[in-house]
Each structure stands twice: as structure tokens, then as C-alpha cells.
Amino acid sequence: MKLSSIFTFIFAGAITSAALPAEDAGQTITNFVTSTITWTGQIIPGEAAVSITGTAEEIYKQIIGLNPNYDNELGLNSSNSTVKRRDFELIEKRAPTSNDWTCAYGNDVNAESIGAGVRYLYSIANGDCSAPPGKPGAGGCTVSSCNSGAGIFLCNDSSNTLHTACFIVADNAVEVLINCQRSTYNGGNSWTTNTHGQIFSKDRSWNVIINKC
């Protein structure tokens, strides 16, 4: 299956996945996770920004609960949105981030589940995502998304609280998906696509990890 087709299926939620392979020898991130992300952004036009803590899915559901018209008024469907939903093009065309990624970190997770997390991150893309202070090798990591054991983590290696646009977190997760994936043909129309890895910001003060959650 071509790479573009794989990611089309992931973002359409249409992969038929078999059982995941045995865990590889990658690292775990549990000891570094302090919380879920905190999102800060405007939910209702004309009102002050608010902060919500949770996974991207939990945050999005709370936003929609407060403003059912959020997508059209302030979200990606809004004509005023400064962020557009991304395609699977080269990272240089999508986000101001680095090519400093590795597939050596982490354990295999289902790529379709990561794709679901990415969709929710793009759904809250117009807000700010934050992570607590940390240090290199022991970053302050927050769970951005956790779907069926597949996690996207925003990790801060700086001594200051990290604030970055949520769409950049999503773009970095996509970059790991593009570069660190492998697919196994199961017969018929069934494929298993797995991924894991890590990508650093240009100044290496923070990173995004795909790993088990």
C-alpha cells in the first residue's frame, strides 16, 4: 500500500487493524508524565480566553459542550481561523519545526489510533497547548492524546512552562507518523500500521513523542 493511501485510511478512520506486534525494546515515558495538556483559547466570540486541562479529545468535547458552533465560529471551519487543516506534505511546507526526529524512541502503537489523536489536536488548533517545566532527559511531559493505548506526548525540556500552538503539536506528531511507520499486510483489505518515535523543536527545548500511554 502506498504511503499516501495509508495516511488517507488513518485520517478517515478506515484501517482494519490486526493485533499489534510484540512490544519492541523502546523506552517508556510513564515516569516523565505529570499531567494532561492545558489548552488556552477563546471558545465564544467576544469573550475572554479560558483554560481547560485534559487530552485533546476531552478538551474538544468540553469546548463543543460550551459552544456547539465553535468549529464554524472559531475553529478550523471559521473564516477567521489562522490555521488550516494540514495535508501530508513535507514538514517544511506545514510547520516551522525541525527535521530532528528519531524512530528509535518508544514502543509500537497503532497508527490509526494516533491519527485519531491528531484529528482532535487539529480540532483545538487555534489555541495554546502548554507543558510544565522539565529538563533534558527528564522533560515535563503531558499527555496530548491517548487513544486505545496510543499516546501523543508534549514534553518540555526547559525550566520554564512551555506554551506552543496546538497545531504545531499535531504537525510534529504527523511528521513522526510519516517517517516512523511500518505496515504489515494481513490479507484481503486488512493492514496493520504501527508507529513510534520522537521529534525535537529547532532549539531542542521541547519535543513530541509517540509512544504507549
Side-chain angles (χ1 to χ4, degrees):
M1 178 178 285
K2 293 181 179 179
L3 181 64
S4 59
S5 299
I6 291 170
F7 288 117
T8 298
F9 281 130
I10 287 173
F11 273 70
I15 287 181
T16 303
S17 299
L20 292 175
E23 179 175 295
D24 66 19
Q27 297 92 333
T28 60
I29 194 174
T30 307
N31 293 337
F32 304 138
V33 174
T34 58
S35 66
T36 49
I37 58 171
T38 296
W39 176 89
T40 301
Q42 194 177 43
I43 295 177
I44 299 174
E47 294 192 2
V50 300
S51 294
I52 302 174
T53 298
T55 64
E57 179 178 3
E58 292 167 345
I59 291 167
Y60 178 70
K61 288 181 177 179
Q62 288 189 57
I63 290 171
I64 294 302
L66 293 169
N67 181 7
N69 295 319
Y70 172 81
D71 287 337
N72 293 324
E73 291 179 347
L74 293 168
L76 291 183
N77 296 337
S78 168
S79 60
N80 296 320
S81 176
T82 58
V83 180
K84 301 300 179 184
R85 195 173 300 277
R86 310 295 183 174
D87 296 319
F88 292 104
E89 41 194 25
L90 293 175
I91 194 72
E92 290 85 356
K93 296 181 180 179
R94 291 189 289 112
T97 189
S98 73
N99 292 316
D100 187 4
W101 51 265
T102 176
C103 304
Y105 191 101
N107 299 283
D108 267 352
V109 293
N110 184 267
E112 180 184 1
S113 297
I114 293 296
V118 168
R119 287 197 297 273
Y120 278 111
L121 280 167
Y122 280 135
S123 294
I124 61 171
N126 286 316
D128 169 271
C129 283
S130 69
K135 59 183 179 180
C141 294
T142 57
V143 181
S144 301
S145 172
C146 184
N147 291 281
S148 302
I152 302 171
F153 302 86
L154 174 62
C155 295
N156 182 14
D157 292 334
S158 168
S159 58
N160 299 312
T161 299
L162 169 68
H163 294 276
T164 189
C166 296
F167 79 86
I168 292 182
V169 182
D171 279 344
N172 277 273
V174 169
E175 188 71 0
V176 175
L177 269 175
I178 290 172
N179 289 289
C180 304
Q181 59 82 38
R182 60 187 177 87
S183 298
T184 303
Y185 180 58
N186 303 313
N189 293 321
S190 175
W191 293 75
T192 300
T193 305
N194 297 313
T195 186
H196 64 263
Q198 182 178 29
I199 183 169
F200 291 89
S201 62
K202 288 183 178 180
D203 62 1
R204 294 185 69 86
S205 65
W206 58 270
N207 61 90
V208 172
I209 293 172
I210 289 180
N211 201 353
K212 289 186 174 181
C213 60

